[in-house]
């Protein structure tokens, strides 16, 4: 379904660079959704799983890096 949709969009828009950049910006915004869902899942579950300091450290490094890549993608895509 999606390849046909992208092919039709290319035929009507005919600006491949704009399509790639807009896809990158949308992908960057989806990274923010991933960060939100990970935080929501970790801190609002009814059944909490015991985690170690190493797990929490790796979780926050991951959240920070995903958020940073999202910000970079949005800034880079919109400039």
């Amino acid at each position: 379904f999606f390849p046909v949709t992208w092919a039709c969009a290319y035929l009507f828009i005919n600006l491949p660079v704009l399509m790639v950049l807009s896809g990158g910006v949308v992908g960057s915004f989806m990274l923010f959704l991933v960060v939100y869902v990970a935080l929501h899942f970790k801190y609002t579950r009814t059944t909490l799983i015991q985690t170690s300091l190493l797990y929490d450290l790796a979780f926050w490094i991951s959240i920070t890096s995903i958020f940073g890549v999202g910000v970079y993608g949005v800034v880079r895509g919109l400039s």
Side-chain angles (χ1 to χ4, degrees):
F1 175 74
F2 285 113
V4 173
T5 304
W6 286 115
C8 290
Y10 172 74
L11 291 174
F12 290 112
I13 296 173
N14 204 13
L15 296 170
V17 174
L18 176 67
M19 291 175 65
V20 169
L21 289 175
S22 64
V25 170
V26 170
S28 296
F29 279 115
M30 288 195 56
L31 288 175
F32 298 134
L33 181 64
V34 168
V35 167
Y36 170 76
V37 169
L39 289 170
H40 180 74
F41 181 72
K42 179 167 175 51
Y43 292 112
T44 60
R45 292 186 295 205
T46 56
T47 307
L48 294 177
I49 298 172
Q50 295 298 325
T51 59
S52 65
L53 179 63
L54 180 62
Y55 176 85
D56 286 338
L57 182 65
F59 177 78
W60 281 103
I61 289 172
S62 175
I63 290 293
T64 305
S65 62
I66 292 171
F67 188 79
V69 169
V71 169
Y72 175 77
V74 169
V75 169
R76 184 83 172 163
L78 294 179
S79 62

